[in-house]
Amino acid sequence: MEMYRSHVLVCAGAGCISSDCKSVQQALLANINDLRLDNEVKVVETGCMGPCDLGPVVMVFPDGVFYRKLKPEDTREIVNEHLLKGKVVTRLLHTPVGSTEKVTSINELEFFQRQTRIALRNTGLINPESVEEYIARDGYRALGKALSQMTPEEVVITIKESGLRGRGGAGFPTGLKWQFTAAAPGSPKYVVCNADEGDPGAFMDRSILEGDPHSVLEAMAICGYAIGADKGYIYVRAEYPLAVERLELAISKGREYGLLGENMFGTGFSFDVEIRVGAGAFVCGEETALLASIEGQRGEPRPKPPFPAQEGLWGKPTVINNVETLANIAQIILNGAPWYASMGTEKSKGTKVFALAGKVNNTGLVEVPMGTTLRDIIFDIGGGINGGKKFKAVQTGGPSGGCIPEAYLDTPVDYDSLNELGTIMGSGGMIIVDEDTCMVDLAKFFLDFVQDESCGKCAPCRIGTKRMLEILERITSGQGREGDIELLEELSYGIKNSALCGLGQTAPNPVLSTLRYFRHEYEAHIRDHKCPASACPELLTYYIDPRACKGCGVCSKACPSDAVLGEKKKPHTIDLNKCIKCGTCKQKCKFDAVITV
């Protein structure tokens, strides 16, 4: 086995790839070769490390030094100073928001200090294309333990007693789902991994598949052993090509090493996995639509019961778990149910991965124990609101979730507390908005998404969300009418009570939650024709403050409708009859002279 004195981990998650981490990696390798350090220093491409806003990022071990926002030209200095001379390159270290001191080690970053990484235990630390590195981190030891030391019933009991609930949205107890499927008559049985992650801003599952694909395969095999299945399918969307590529490689390696396939570990148990690539329809995240798509049919949901545990894939008993749920399984088997159940709240055990996005300083993936408060996640780990703006709300649960205002920031996050606030855990999307966000416009954005993604099978979702979207478009354009709010509520509850699947039933949540906490914004749009956040263009009027205007003429030259008038070095004015409210003058003005009311 080759030994190296230093390992340089290069984050190659999708976020860092978009920040050109590949060029940084190539430059690192070239500089290491130039100095003939390639026998002493190994560069390892990993999955997502988490702090996506700092990419491209690199960690140097054994020191644990964390470099951020690197460019290819920075690598020469890292190699010369750090890898050759042992001196940390201070200028490339990270300075946390609100601090003037740079931090050297990843362990000093509050972003990581507050996390408990179980599902993300290997992402950012190992080469996802190396089964040897996964095995070195206890990979496949849980499968070996299950096959050699536990009966299928004991595996099911362990998962039940751990309290693990599905991380895909509904939060159904995982062990109970396995128990129902194991007990269901019919053969063969199937294990399906739902990797059709479609919520805007969510990328938890993608990061696990890209950074630790063997953890999902191992868990599927354990599940297969527990329920009596010898076949599994991973349904992953085509928009995740890197995840598909790494899954294919992991499956190939698993078969090569005897970790998948016939007579695994010499126990007589056989299990294999195939990939099915979906076309990216949001509705295929719903389990019955997903099963239909795997079967080659149109991805549409069907009524339940029967549930997939009774009649699933090709009418046979089937367990469907999402990626994050499965990523917890091996650790539960290895460490025991009491260990996992010791984390979290009474009814929500373990940890949860959230994708922090929006108007927050530290965006990226975080994994925290259930029960951690929203304030801790957004302000301590997320670093608070960027640009010095005021927090307004957090949207949890994606398009099927709802908005939570500042008054509830100290709410411990678990399935039940979020439901009480009118939203859901969902798959873990967490979008933060600031004072400049119009909540009516935000509700319109999510409803537009849901309406666009409705499969159209049932009328409440197909037609009801269309009517709701029309009302929201009317309100945000200044054409709202008295009675619109009541009509939105009536439609919302009608859809929730009559839509065929969970996606339709939860589609009105963004509207209902914003009406619950920000009703005054709806009323201001309708009755006063004002947008309190000054975000809806058609409700704004642009003026130029003569005291602030320097007469530079930049706004006049930029205005596409020639609405800005005035002589050079004299205060300008806006002809409201010509103004098309595009906001270009406000964007171009360097003196904040353009104001909106």
Side-chain angles (χ1 to χ4, degrees), residues 7 59 127 131 149 153 155 162 192 206 263 335 362 400 425-426 453 457 589:
H7 285 76
M59 280 196 292
N127 178 355
V131 66
Q149 301 175 31
E153 293 77 17
V155 174
S162 73
V192 172
R206 186 193 71 200
N263 191 26
N335 298 296
N362 304 329
S400 302
M425 180 83 72
E453 291 288 344
K457 185 172 183 178
C589 182

Side-chain angles (χ1 to χ4, degrees), residues 470-486:
E470 289 170 353
I471 295 170
L472 291 171
E473 288 174 338
R474 197 162 68 218
I475 293 174
T476 53
S477 65
Q479 305 301 314
R481 308 166 189 161
E482 286 295 337
D484 274 349
I485 292 177
E486 292 74 15

